[in-house]
Amino acid sequence: MKSIIWMAAATLLLTACERKHQADDPLGDSGKTQRTENLLSNLTALGNSGVYLFGHHDDTAYGIGWEADYTNDSTIHQRSDVKSVCNDYPALLSFDLGRIESGVERNLDGIPFERIRREIIAHYDRGGLATLSWHADNPLSGGTSWVADSLKNKETKTVESVLQHGQKHELFLSWLDKVAGFLNSLQTPYGVKIPVIFRPWHEHTGSWFWWGQEHCTAEQYKDLWKMTCDRLRENGVVNVLYAYSPGTEPNGDETKYMERYPGDEIIDLMGLDCYCSAPEADSTQIAYFAAKLDKNLDMVCRIAQQHGKAAALTETGYECLKKPDWWTRTLAPVLERHPVCYVLLWRNAHNRANHFFVPYPGQQSSSDFVRFYNDKRTLFLSDLNGLYLKKQD
Ligand code: BMA
């Protein structure tokens, strides 16, 4: 009997505490939580002060020669190739929501969604930040995000089909509801919604994804964005900053970059995905990448400034890192010329040969990566302080 009374009292107390703490996560003027608004102003200020966060996709889930034991919570946030090289975690963790729409347990790269949730919460607890991309399957054909993956994917009506009056509209809304459920579940035990950067419908200036340039009109693409944000908002999502993330196809042309921009009322951060392609470490190809990155970042940062948005290099990398000093001689010299608030490197696949973008112990660029880490402009997890709480002017 005593124990029942004690449990009831404890439950009441807990509910009261939760209520009290929930009141500590108020909304700001934009309708997002104040922490989310603070994050945005802090990110913008970071970029303008010449420093940037270092980010890595799937960093704590797997790396070269290892994969976390997803059945064991004690392995959450335990290992990272970045940490193995420089003894610090990235400031920014990135994960992908691809396949969440099907209600399956794991994402397209095999990570359980529940694990992603816990990794993000653990990272937030340490002061870090997370971003989410979404390689959603094709709702019309049943294939993947990539139109070239199968013949049945070679159609161009998918975006049209998910918009209002389209045959997949209802299905697609149910997909968005699943994404909203995940975003809403990103909460601390005391009820604070964890701010994250959501980056759907990326690289749309190319045509490899079903939402790409040749597969829909500009209006349809913008409607896709609007429908996405409206539906998330209707589901009570208030902890998300939205990132616009074209590829390099605009190549410095502002009109092309802005052709499918969903609008200032939707987008918080303007970005760019730009990769270094030099399979044999050819110096001309590497110099070409640096010049392309420079030119495109110049444009992105200029437009972001005009629109009062944060700017970032939302995806980059040099697959296999065959230039030992790529970090300090290629990437950093370009980044230091532009007010970006973060740079995100793509994944170190554990199950796909030669698909890695950050060094691991013994990799030929690892000592240069430590120099990059020691550069005062790069921010890793241990450099962060109050991204969400302190409001900048
Ligand atoms: C691509 C590759 C794929 C991966 C996908 C989503 O760039 O890394 O192997 O499945 O991203 O993470």
Side-chain angles (χ1 to χ4, degrees):
M1 186 58 167
K2 256 190 192 165
S3 70
I4 292 176
I5 292 169
W6 186 86
M7 268 165 62
T11 310
L12 275 179
L13 193 69
L14 209 68
T15 317
C17 288
E18 276 169 5
R19 248 190 243 124
K20 179 175 181 298
H21 282 292
Q22 272 160 6
D24 286 346
D25 192 23
L27 295 182
D29 296 339
S30 66
K32 301 180 195 232
T33 67
Q34 268 175 18
R35 279 180 176 77
T36 311
E37 289 183 347
N38 291 349
L39 171 65
L40 180 59
S41 57
N42 287 331
L43 286 176
T44 313
L46 275 182
N48 288 333
S49 60
V51 295
Y52 52 91
L53 310 183
F54 179 83
H56 183 213
H57 190 67
D58 288 351
D59 183 79
T60 48
Y62 56 76
I64 301 304
W66 64 275
E67 184 180 21
D69 175 1
Y70 301 134
T71 63
N72 182 350
D73 273 6
S74 73
T75 67
I76 288 170
H77 220 107
Q78 187 188 56
R79 185 166 174 180
S80 135
D81 281 352
V82 167
K83 181 159 190 277
S84 299
V85 170
C86 70
N87 204 29
D88 201 352
Y89 286 102
L92 175 70
L93 292 189
S94 165
F95 294 101
D96 197 277
L97 294 182
R99 304 260 158 88
I100 202 166
E101 63 276 6
S102 319
V104 295
E105 190 198 335
R106 289 173 184 243
N107 82 350
L108 77 173
D109 294 317
I111 313 175
F113 292 107
E114 179 55 19
R115 179 60 171 234
I116 295 177
R117 201 174 75 78
R118 287 168 191 241
E119 291 283 358
I120 291 174
I121 294 170
H123 200 58
Y124 174 82
D125 274 344
R126 296 175 185 206
L129 172 63
T131 178
L132 291 160
S133 46
W134 185 23
H135 285 89
D137 281 346
N138 185 321
L140 189 59
S141 71
T144 68
S145 288
W146 287 268
V147 285
D149 263 13
S150 70
L151 274 182
K152 63 178 181 164
N153 259 340
K154 286 206 185 301
E155 45 70 24
T156 59
K157 298 281 180 215
T158 306
V159 174
E160 187 183 339
S161 81
V162 302
L163 297 176
Q164 211 179 4
H165 310 303
Q167 67 176 112
K168 296 295 174 188
H169 182 59
E170 292 303 320
L171 172 72
F172 196 71
L173 291 181
S174 75
W175 287 12
L176 292 171
D177 293 346
K178 291 197 178 101
V179 170
F182 182 85
L183 294 168
N184 280 329
S185 79
L186 297 174
Q187 293 197 26
T188 65
Y190 41 95
V192 167
K193 290 194 165 186
I194 298 175
V196 290
I197 298 170
F198 186 39
R199 189 172 66 92
W201 321 134
H202 67 305
E203 296 175 13
H204 65 285
T205 45
S207 295
W208 43 92
F209 296 133
W210 58 256
W211 55 87
Q213 184 81 17
E214 287 172 11
H215 310 305
C216 57
T217 65
E219 282 319 304
Q220 286 169 341
Y221 178 80
K222 290 187 210 173
D223 286 349
L224 174 65
W225 258 103
K226 184 165 187 323
M227 182 175 69
T228 302
C229 298
D230 285 350
R231 190 70 178 188
L232 296 186
R233 201 176 310 116
E234 283 158 27
N235 274 284
V237 174
V238 286
N239 52 331
V240 164
L241 298 176
Y242 292 98
Y244 178 64
S245 170
T248 53
E249 292 72 22
N251 201 22
D253 181 330
E254 289 193 19
T255 312
K256 283 198 186 131
Y257 182 88
M258 293 303 281
E259 187 203 55
R260 295 175 179 221
Y261 180 62
D264 282 347
E265 60 295 349
I266 290 180
I267 298 299
D268 300 296
L269 184 148
M270 292 168 118
L272 172 75
D273 287 12
C274 178
Y275 281 86
C276 178
S277 171
E280 300 313 321
D282 178 81
S283 55
T284 314
Q285 284 178 314
I286 292 171
Y288 172 77
F289 160 74
K292 182 171 68 167
L293 183 63
D294 197 34
K295 181 175 178 181
N296 280 279
L297 279 183
D298 193 54
M299 170 195 65
V300 172
C301 292
R302 197 172 50 245
I303 301 177
Q305 210 127 36
Q306 283 160 8
H307 288 253
K309 306 294 175 186
L313 181 49
T314 40
E315 264 186 51
T316 192
Y318 175 21
E319 193 172 38
C320 293
L321 287 160
K322 289 194 175 159
K323 186 178 189 282
D325 56 4
W326 186 79
W327 299 98
T328 61
R329 292 293 174 89
T330 305
L331 185 64
V334 179
L335 291 181
E336 70 193 41
R337 286 200 285 275
H338 307 283
V340 289
C341 62
Y342 75 78
V343 54
L344 176 72
L345 277 295
W346 206 241
R347 67 199 198 103
N348 274 16
H350 66 101
N351 54 1
R352 184 173 150 187
N354 302 321
H355 192 55
F356 64 89
F357 297 88
V358 303
Y360 49 90
Q363 202 278 330
Q364 60 177 315
S365 75
S366 53
S367 48
D368 190 56
F369 187 79
V370 174
R371 280 194 289 277
F372 175 77
Y373 171 75
N374 285 322
D375 181 333
K376 59 183 183 319
R377 286 170 282 238
T378 60
L379 302 183
F380 285 67
L381 185 60
S382 67
D383 298 311
L384 293 187
N385 182 17
L387 262 188
Y388 308 92
L389 296 177
K390 293 179 188 163
K391 191 158 173 70
Q392 308 273 337
D393 293 325

